[in-house]
Amino acid sequence: MLNYILRRVFGMVPVLFVITIIAFLFVHLTPGDPIRIMYGAEIDQETYQQMREREGFNDPLVVQYGRYMVNMLQGDFGMSYRTRVNVSDEIIRRFGYTFVLTVLAMFWAIVIGVGVGILSATKRNSLADRSSMIATITALSIPEFWFGLMIMQIFAVQLGWFPTSGSGTWIHLILPSVTLGLGVAATIVRFTRSSVLEVLREDYVRTARAKGQKESVVIWRHVLRNALIPVVTMSGLQFGFLIGGAVVVEQVFAWPGLGSYLIDSILGRDYPVIQALILLFSLQFLVINLLVDISYAFLNPQIRYD
């Protein structure tokens, strides 16, 4: 297992290297002048040239990339063009907000998705099954921003149960986490239902039933152990997307996480922030995939990594 983990960790290095090149070229080849962003559009030409020289923008792209890599390996992602705040410090401050939001969203998604998926599969073609499928398709069809605005209108504005936006207490987390977890929960329901139905047709399940075991024992001991492996894979991928995809929900609820930071940086062509966030989102996606693969061995002890 340890050798497998080390191989996977070393395998991330070339992937991250390619991502740094793509991110660096992408933000440097897009329209926009960072000097005008930092010092204003009214700056005179002489000062403009001095600032370009001082910031290193007159150097070849290869030199700029090399300088970026050296600084990045030391944990220095530079200063924000717009705010002149250290990017690493700002990301560390905001990461906690996004992480807590996505973990809670994933909690709702797994509890609701796995629970409803199992119920739907074990009660196939019943009223509960048909109702859950209709609700799932509806949830997948609703845009996140629209659902967020609707529950904000009902539960925050009309009923006054939750704050409309902001952060600071656990109650601020409820509406944005539910909004963020809705689509993932619907996806998990469909995945869990299909996976459980497939395992229910296996011979060892029929054998367990023929031996007279209770249906609850068959489901929990024989079905879920194998049926949950593809669900865990998909949930891990969804969690990776959630951290990078909380942009819309954070904007709707004014949540001060990385998503809103990314939107503000893209609008302001804040290159150091965009580069750092692209790399961070890519890294967390790779790490989550590794954790998902490792979790297989715990779900099914028969799986071994050599």
Side-chain angles (χ1 to χ4, degrees):
M1 174 65 86
L2 180 61
N3 290 335
Y4 172 78
I5 295 173
L6 290 176
R7 283 201 307 273
R8 288 290 301 270
V9 170
F10 284 118
M12 293 180 187
V13 175
V15 176
L16 291 173
F17 177 67
V18 172
I19 290 172
T20 61
I21 295 176
I22 294 174
F24 180 83
L25 291 177
F26 177 75
V27 298
H28 279 75
L29 296 179
T30 51
D33 192 333
I35 297 298
R36 301 289 183 191
I37 296 170
M38 284 188 283
Y39 299 101
E42 299 80 15
I43 185 174
D44 62 80
Q45 190 61 26
E46 183 180 353
T47 307
Y48 173 82
Q49 291 299 336
Q50 291 174 351
M51 292 301 105
R52 280 193 67 85
E53 185 66 28
R54 195 183 76 172
E55 299 291 342
F57 290 112
N58 288 335
D59 296 333
L61 276 180
V62 175
V63 176
Q64 293 186 48
Y65 176 74
R67 186 166 53 236
Y68 162 70
M69 287 296 292
V70 170
N71 293 333
M72 186 196 70
L73 291 174
Q74 297 173 349
D76 180 9
F77 288 94
M79 305 287 284
S80 165
Y81 289 167
R82 295 178 303 114
T83 62
R84 307 306 293 168
V85 173
N86 187 284
V87 174
S88 302
D89 294 342
E90 187 66 12
I91 286 178
I92 291 172
R93 188 182 73 81
R94 289 174 176 262
F95 181 79
Y97 287 99
T98 297
F99 185 74
V100 171
L101 175 62
T102 50
V103 166
L104 188 58
M106 204 66 211
F107 173 78
W108 301 131
I110 290 175
V111 170
I112 296 171
V114 174
V116 175
I118 293 172
L119 176 67
S120 184
T122 53
K123 305 291 183 184
R124 189 182 182 190
N125 294 328
S126 66
L127 178 61
D129 181 29
R130 296 179 190 281
S131 301
S132 68
M133 287 302 99
I134 292 173
T136 299
I137 294 172
T138 304
L140 288 171
S141 306
I142 295 176
E144 280 184 341
F145 73 90
W146 184 85
F147 180 73
L149 292 174
M150 287 301 101
I151 64 172
M152 182 192 295
Q153 177 67 25
I154 296 171
F155 295 103
V157 177
Q158 299 295 332
L159 299 176
W161 292 353
F162 303 99
T164 55
S165 60
S167 61
T169 64
W170 65 270
I171 204 167
H172 286 87
L173 271 167
I174 302 300
L175 294 185
S177 62
V178 169
T179 304
L180 190 60
L182 175 72
V184 181
T187 306
I188 292 177
V189 168
R190 294 185 65 85
F191 236 84
T192 304
R193 181 180 183 275
S194 301
S195 185
V196 171
L197 283 175
E198 187 176 336
V199 176
L200 283 172
R201 300 189 190 101
E202 296 291 336
D203 291 339
Y204 61 85
V205 175
R206 282 196 288 268
T207 302
R209 283 172 170 164
K211 288 181 178 178
Q213 291 187 352
K214 293 182 180 178
E215 187 65 15
S216 58
V217 175
V218 173
I219 295 296
W220 290 105
R221 181 177 297 175
H222 300 286
V223 175
L224 290 185
R225 176 173 293 181
N226 294 299
L228 285 182
I229 290 178
V231 176
V232 169
T233 303
M234 191 275 303
S235 299
L237 294 173
Q238 291 292 324
F239 185 60
F241 284 122
L242 274 184
I243 292 181
V247 176
V248 174
V249 174
E250 289 188 1
Q251 285 293 104
V252 170
F253 291 95
W255 188 256
L258 294 176
S260 55
Y261 192 34
L262 179 62
I263 287 290
D264 293 340
S265 303
I266 291 174
L267 293 175
R269 288 180 167 74
D270 203 340
Y271 297 158
V273 178
I274 299 172
Q275 285 175 314
L277 290 179
I278 290 174
L279 187 62
L280 176 66
F281 291 150
S282 303
L283 176 62
Q284 56 85 21
F285 198 82
L286 293 173
V287 171
I288 288 172
N289 272 283
L290 173 61
L291 295 176
V292 168
D293 289 345
I294 294 173
S295 70
Y296 293 163
F298 293 96
L299 284 174
N300 189 345
Q302 294 179 347
I303 297 177
R304 289 286 182 270
Y305 295 105
D306 297 324

